[in-house]
Amino acid sequence: MKKLINDVGAVVDDMIDGLIRSVDGLSRIEGERVIVRRDLEAVRSAGQVALVSGGGSGHEPAHAGYVGAGMLTAAVCGDVFTSPSTDAVLAAIRAVGGPAGVLLIVKSYTGDRLNFGLAAEIARSEGIPVEMVVVADDVSLATGASNAGRRGIAGTVLVHKVAGAAAAAGLPLDRVAALARRVGDGVGSMGVGLTACTVPAAGRPSFSLADDEIEFGLGIHGEAGVRRDRMQPVGALVSTVAERIFEDRGLLAGDRAVLLVNNLGATPAMEMAIVAGEAARAAEARGLCVERMWTGAFLTALDMAGFSLSALAVDGELLSYLDAPTTASAWPTSVAPAKIAPAVAVAARTDEAVGSAGEPDLTLVSAIEAAARALIADEARLTALDQAVGDGDLGLNLARGAEAVLAEIDGYRALGRPAVLRRLSATVRKTVGGTSGALYAVGLMRAAAVAEKPVAGNALWGEALAAAAEAISRLGDARIGDRTMLDALLPAAEALASAGADPRAGHAAAVEAAASGAAATAAITSRRGRSSYLGERAVGHPDPGAEAVVVWLTAIGQVLGEEGA
């Protein structure tokens, strides 16, 4: 792997540093991976609706490239291909939110929906008006299919532009949100990949393609597409993609439309110009009146070669917003002189402190420490498992959270059992991005409530695991048999609760049940998570989330079983 980076763990922070040094008008919230307009106070005093978007890094220029007058107020940057944490999103909302309110523009990925959605709920409870619009423009996936739903891809940029112009025009929050939803509901997109991409932390391509193979309908996180085919002349590729979009969006002869021709990251400018020409011809053949067409890198997938095409039916109102001026550096008409902007210090606002009532539970702390070390030790295997069915970040993500837990483990030793679990939930929420962070955090919060009960042993931990699984099921809209972590967690909870009083036998039964459940996922076609996009292609590989449950449960079982807890 050859990457122009310093350190794998610093790529996002180094990117943010370079961006705010090279683009005028940008700064960052101190201590957060959140890029904001430098004139933030002027924006808030003008009474305009603030726009916040974001997601995993690796899609540059999205999302920070669209921060500027007339587009986004702030962009939240997660780790590469990983949703930012709830706390990072919340920091952005708190920083930009004024009386006019905040609109969150979110791409339809489970981790983004969960973390932005939870942040919105917390912000509303603090009195900040917040609306959230979820964009799901990927027409390669059928609506209502047995998967996690359509994804948000490059068409999201058009939502940024229209909503940003509407906010700049002084429209209230409900009108800005309505326009954003109108564009999100109307735009359709589809991509074609010629190569895989390489996540810096993984160090190898996320999937392999033969020299004459391409992927139709792929996402933006290095996951494979919905169909693999042979390489064809670009005219045939663009025609296939365009017709799928036009049919799905109901675009007919005589309709006015705009096209966005997006470089997935590594396609030469010459080839992108050819793609643009073919896209225009495909639209003309359909009888569409192409009012505007933009070509360039708008929302990429690191170093993936390929393109995506987006189409949107427009009228005079939408065109006026698309044509409105913006200073955002990544929008084709913007110009931004280079200046170094200082960091913006935002007044600290934190969640309520976690209580410490109860007798210290050193055995539980030892179990958590063992679980964290086990996840770090097994990172490579979990990463490899996730690369086979997803985007390959699970092992890295959990290991990063485990390292954060170990860094503060000494602070757990004076806490009672419920407080330990709540503190652990907060740590996970802040450091484990994507879907896993939100799901583990909510599960730990629910387990903490059970841990307050005056019972002990297998009955307590069985009930705590069951409560955690129920919370994860509810928040993640998943159930046993969907090929998720629940396929290991629920059987473990049942085994532990019914094992009797012997802690050794109880934890051994729980581990055995979890391992059996995880192994069974290899025969399941996923209904949730990124592996759901692969359909039958995921069969034969165990779910990495379920395997991770076996890893930490085994480590915990050894400690609790040995100490009779």
Side-chain angles (χ1 to χ4, degrees):
M1 181 186 72
K2 295 179 180 178
K3 295 283 186 183
L4 298 176
I5 63 177
N6 294 310
D7 178 79
V8 166
V11 290
V12 175
D13 291 302
D14 287 351
M15 177 270 292
I16 292 173
D17 177 72
L19 189 63
I20 64 174
R21 288 175 178 271
S22 59
V23 178
D24 187 42
L26 300 186
S27 189
R28 71 182 296 177
I29 295 177
E30 195 169 31
E32 299 285 353
R33 289 174 171 173
V34 178
I35 295 175
V36 296
R37 290 176 56 176
R38 190 168 50 161
D39 60 345
L40 190 56
E41 288 304 320
V43 175
R44 287 162 57 159
S45 62
Q48 293 180 2
V49 172
L51 267 63
V52 177
S53 189
S57 296
H59 305 305
E60 289 68 36
H63 302 81
Y66 303 114
V67 174
M71 288 192 81
L72 300 180
T73 316
V76 192
C77 305
D79 282 295
V80 175
F81 292 172
T82 302
S83 169
S85 70
T86 299
D87 286 60
V89 179
L90 186 58
I93 296 172
R94 288 168 170 169
V96 305
V102 179
L103 176 64
L104 303 182
I105 300 174
V106 182
K107 295 185 301 304
S108 185
Y109 288 93
T110 306
D112 289 345
R113 293 199 311 269
L114 292 175
N115 286 294
F116 277 80
L118 179 55
E121 288 295 331
I122 296 172
R124 292 186 192 110
S125 73
E126 296 174 353
I128 303 173
V130 180
E131 289 266 8
M132 188 168 90
V133 172
V134 178
V135 183
D137 57 315
D138 183 3
V139 304
S140 67
L141 297 164
T143 56
S146 183
N147 55 41
R150 287 189 166 183
R151 301 169 286 209
I153 51 178
T156 309
V157 177
L158 297 178
V159 182
H160 292 165
K161 183 64 184 68
V162 170
L171 270 63
L173 179 59
D174 61 343
R175 285 286 295 126
V176 176
L179 279 165
R181 291 191 180 97
R182 179 184 170 192
V183 177
D185 291 343
V187 67
S189 307
M190 184 173 174
V192 175
L194 277 61
T195 67
C197 62
T198 301
V199 177
R204 52 189 177 273
S206 53
F207 60 91
S208 60
L209 283 171
D211 290 343
D212 62 343
E213 288 183 325
I214 58 170
E215 289 275 351
F216 272 106
L218 72 171
I220 54 172
H221 298 96
E223 64 267 50
V226 297
R227 176 167 65 88
R228 186 165 295 190
D229 210 333
R230 297 296 177 186
M231 184 63 190
Q232 306 162 32
V234 66
L237 294 177
V238 174
S239 178
T240 299
V241 170
E243 283 302 308
R244 172 71 186 213
I245 297 170
F246 299 157
E247 286 291 332
D248 188 272
R249 298 291 83 193
L251 291 170
L252 303 173
D255 286 345
R256 303 166 71 189
V258 296
L259 303 178
L260 187 78
V261 186
N262 176 54
N263 188 336
L264 289 179
T267 307
M270 175 187 290
E271 295 175 29
M272 287 302 301
I274 297 171
V275 172
E278 293 296 340
R281 277 187 281 276
E284 291 163 0
R286 182 83 171 183
L288 302 179
C289 176
V290 179
E291 298 281 359
R292 305 285 187 276
M293 182 169 70
W294 301 276
T295 304
F298 296 96
L299 196 151
T300 65
L302 289 172
D303 54 350
M304 180 177 287
F307 72 92
S308 69
L309 176 64
S310 302
L312 171 69
V314 296
D315 56 13
E317 181 186 28
L318 290 187
L319 271 180
S320 69
Y321 290 129
L322 289 167
D323 288 341
T326 177
T327 63
S329 62
W331 188 252
T333 57
S334 65
V335 177
K339 289 183 181 179
I340 299 175
V344 173
V346 177
R349 292 174 64 182
T350 61
D351 298 329
E352 286 186 338
V354 177
S356 58
E359 289 297 319
D361 191 333
L362 298 182
T363 300
L364 177 58
V365 176
S366 297
I368 292 171
E369 184 174 8
R373 296 192 186 281
L375 287 171
I376 293 170
D378 214 22
E379 177 269 315
R381 185 181 71 90
L382 293 175
T383 293
L385 286 173
D386 199 33
Q387 285 180 324
V389 297
D391 56 11
D393 71 341
L394 179 73
L396 299 164
N397 220 357
L398 294 179
R400 181 170 54 249
E403 288 169 353
V405 169
L406 292 178
E408 60 181 42
I409 196 72
D410 288 341
Y412 292 12
R413 303 189 193 283
L415 303 178
R417 183 179 293 161
V420 168
L421 294 175
R422 292 193 182 96
R423 186 70 60 84
L424 180 60
S425 175
T427 302
V428 168
R429 189 182 80 190
K430 293 175 183 178
T431 60
V432 179
T435 304
S436 299
L439 294 179
Y440 272 110
V442 75
L444 286 163
M445 287 175 64
R446 191 67 62 83
V450 173
E452 294 176 346
K453 295 184 176 183
V455 294
N458 295 340
L460 173 70
W461 294 117
E463 185 179 350
L465 277 180
E470 191 277 333
I472 289 168
S473 174
R474 184 179 298 274
L475 184 62
D477 187 26
R479 56 184 180 270
I480 195 164
D482 280 351
R483 188 186 165 90
T484 70
M485 64 194 301
L486 292 174
D487 289 293
L489 197 57
L490 280 170
E494 293 173 1
L496 193 56
S498 60
D502 184 351
R504 293 179 185 271
H507 291 294
V511 171
E512 183 179 355
S516 178
T521 61
I524 298 174
T525 300
S526 180
R527 195 179 71 89
R528 288 290 180 264
R530 286 183 183 156
S531 62
S532 68
Y533 301 125
L534 299 182
E536 294 292 336
R537 294 169 66 180
V539 174
H541 303 280
D543 178 66
E547 286 287 323
V549 170
V550 177
V551 171
W552 59 257
L553 192 61
T554 300
I556 289 176
Q558 290 171 348
V559 172
L560 297 183
E562 290 172 0
E563 300 194 19

